[in-house]
Amino acid sequence: MTITPPALSVFETLESEVRSYCRGWPAVFDRAQGSYMYDEDGHTYLDFFSGAGALNYGHNNPVLKRALLDYIERDGVTHGLDMGTTAKRAFLESFQNTVLRPRDLPYKVMFPGPTGTNAVEAALKLARKVKGREAVVSFTNAFHGMSLGALAVTGNAFKRAGAGIPLVHGTPMPFDNYLDGQVPDFLWFERLLGDQGSGLNHPAAVIVETVQGEGGINVARPEWLRGLADLCRRRDMLLIVDDIQMGCGRTGAFFSFEEAGITPDIVTLSKSIGGYGLPMSLTLFRPELDLWEPGEHNGTFRGNNPAFVTATAALDAYWADGGMEKQTLARGEQVEAALRAICEEHAALGAEYRGRGLVWGLEFTDRERAGRIAKRAFELGLLIETSGPEGEVVKLLPALTVSREELDEGLRTLARAVRETA
């Protein structure tokens, strides 16, 4: 497929230089359905990006679209702040019955605002309020959002620099295998906590991703996560799991921490919790942590009722039984087999892969190669992004509803892109 970059005059002349994804994908997209996007010139693209994880159920999912259209056509409430609405009630009941109760999770549900960074800010504020302490520990290569509190617990130097002011009260620790297994888990963390001369203020909480998506698809082992949960209990620190990109079934189970058998004190969800790509986020926490005063944390758009509608439809359609989890794990095995073959073919180039469920990364010794692969994949009709601190990892994030045939098509295109950028 030959793609002629469109005339992007209005984007180039009017829109801020901060735009990023459009630079790697120089097309003007017009329609999208399922796992495909279509530009205004008629080109078709297989989407292995999925709105950075906000479209786990694909573009314009027909089940969710029907529920949304029906709600709009009957003049259902669109904007409701934190007022009680039928749409919010339906979502809360479905979330409780479909997600929380079957997993014996006791969480209260908070609607902190429409985005993931809103959920993280609420989690950090609550942890500090509950414990009466300011310090929060995060991990190397973490990404938790672009507002100031979330940036303070984010590792990426480029994104942190954008704050323009000192980012305080966040302390990084090594993520799982950051030191290549040469140091016992949490040795440094434990030593700092136990030493009155370490300079580490007793943290209120620890925030962690079970799989670091933006950080390079770094996968934490279940035993490492269990060790972290135990450390938090012993040292009186709250455990926050940021499941904004890896939750809602991305790794197989609804929550990515289920595999480790842990129950975090606080969990953040966003991206695909709304199901349809509509802004929505949740901060979940143990009932005894619910020390908020009315209105102490709020936001004008925390009551996005159309998102409640599509979120409920997604839960009812895909999470009432174990089918979605089984399908995702099976599709993950398909991806793993294809990536293994690619790495074997390019072993001389230091190729390696890692991932869980339907989030995978492919990395080469040449740290600039991922960008070339993503560029060639776009030219071949496949949308993939890169991640990692230097953009050195090819990141695969197909919709959970992707068919075996679509997945095979995309993986063959990826293999071709790798081959043609050798």
Side-chain angles (χ1 to χ4, degrees):
M1 176 171 64
T2 301
I3 299 172
T4 302
L8 299 176
S9 58
V10 70
F11 305 115
E12 293 172 344
T13 61
L14 188 60
E15 192 178 0
S16 166
E17 293 298 318
V18 78
R19 64 192 189 279
S20 60
Y21 290 113
C22 59
R23 298 179 188 275
W25 301 329
V28 176
F29 296 99
D30 180 54
R31 295 185 302 112
Q33 210 290 314
S35 288
Y36 291 94
M37 298 188 73
Y38 307 88
D39 71 19
E40 63 182 358
D41 295 325
H43 298 119
T44 300
Y45 304 84
L46 182 55
D47 184 6
F48 275 22
F49 173 64
S50 301
L55 297 167
N56 280 2
Y57 311 104
H59 294 272
N60 289 302
N61 182 289
V63 175
L64 312 190
K65 179 166 65 175
R66 185 70 265 160
L68 178 61
L69 290 175
D70 289 346
Y71 184 77
I72 292 172
E73 287 173 352
R74 73 167 184 80
D75 291 330
V77 173
T78 296
H79 182 270
L81 293 162
D82 66 0
M83 293 183 287
T85 65
T86 55
K88 184 201 279 190
R89 180 175 61 200
F91 168 73
L92 286 170
E93 289 175 347
S94 183
F95 190 70
Q96 183 178 47
N97 295 329
T98 305
V99 176
L100 297 181
R101 279 181 178 160
R103 293 162 179 80
D104 197 27
L105 295 172
Y107 297 135
K108 298 289 289 291
V109 178
M110 175 183 179
F111 300 99
T115 69
T117 200
N118 291 130
V120 169
E121 294 288 352
L124 298 176
K125 286 170 65 173
L126 181 60
R128 287 167 171 144
K129 179 180 177 68
V130 168
K131 292 300 182 183
R133 303 192 294 266
E134 298 165 345
V136 173
V137 165
S138 58
F139 291 95
T140 50
N141 290 313
F143 178 79
H144 296 290
M146 297 297 284
S147 52
L148 292 180
L151 277 176
V153 291
T154 287
N156 187 283
F158 174 72
K159 292 180 171 62
R160 288 174 62 88
I165 61 172
L167 297 170
V168 298
H169 307 309
T171 302
M173 292 291 166
F175 191 72
D176 190 16
N177 203 42
Y178 184 74
L179 300 173
D180 300 320
Q182 298 179 40
V183 177
D185 294 342
F186 311 114
L187 175 64
W188 175 241
F189 197 175
E190 291 264 24
R191 188 69 57 85
L192 292 179
L193 288 170
D195 183 359
Q196 294 298 309
S198 70
L200 175 66
N201 293 332
H202 190 177
V206 175
I207 185 167
V208 68
E209 304 154 275
T210 66
V211 180
Q212 295 181 325
E214 298 303 307
I217 318 300
N218 305 311
V219 182
R221 294 166 296 140
E223 56 267 33
W224 187 87
L225 292 168
R226 287 191 289 270
L228 179 61
D230 178 66
L231 175 60
C232 288
R233 281 192 299 270
R234 288 188 288 105
R235 295 291 189 168
D236 187 32
M237 302 177 294
L238 296 180
L239 176 61
I240 304 169
V241 168
D242 181 341
D243 234 3
I244 287 167
Q245 188 168 87
M246 298 304 155
C248 302
R250 176 54 58 181
T251 64
F254 187 86
F255 294 106
S256 70
F257 56 80
E258 292 182 52
E259 180 190 39
I262 62 174
T263 302
D265 299 295
I266 304 176
V267 179
T268 61
L269 288 177
S270 186
K271 291 192 182 283
S272 278
I273 187 60
Y276 201 73
L278 298 175
M280 177 178 171
S281 72
L282 307 178
T283 304
L284 313 176
F285 40 82
R286 296 181 185 272
E288 62 269 24
L289 304 181
D290 194 8
L291 303 185
W292 293 115
E293 297 290 337
E296 190 174 7
H297 184 98
N298 56 28
T300 302
F301 294 102
R302 65 193 184 280
N304 186 358
N305 282 258
F308 296 157
V309 171
T310 53
T312 302
L315 293 176
D316 294 345
Y318 295 104
W319 294 99
D321 57 30
M324 175 58 74
E325 180 176 351
K326 292 176 182 176
Q327 176 176 298
T328 297
L329 294 175
R331 299 285 191 271
E333 292 176 357
Q334 185 180 351
V335 176
E336 184 174 14
L339 293 184
R340 184 186 306 116
I342 290 174
C343 289
E344 289 172 353
E345 179 181 350
H346 300 277
L349 300 175
E352 62 176 52
Y353 66 93
R354 52 189 178 268
R356 281 178 60 193
L358 276 175
V359 52
W360 291 86
L362 179 64
E363 184 176 5
F364 296 85
T365 302
D366 177 0
R367 298 174 78 80
E368 296 183 357
R369 191 169 182 201
R372 299 197 300 271
I373 291 170
K375 181 177 185 296
R376 182 56 181 149
F378 171 76
E379 295 168 349
L380 296 171
L382 176 67
L383 301 180
I384 52 175
E385 67 168 330
T386 62
S387 70
E390 300 176 51
E392 73 277 15
V393 178
V394 175
K395 182 180 180 183
L396 306 182
L397 213 66
L400 306 187
T401 51
V402 67
S403 70
R404 291 190 63 87
E405 294 74 22
E406 290 166 343
L407 197 53
D408 184 61
E409 175 191 348
L411 292 168
R412 282 188 281 106
T413 301
L414 172 64
R416 178 181 170 186
V418 172
R419 207 171 291 122
E420 294 181 359
T421 57

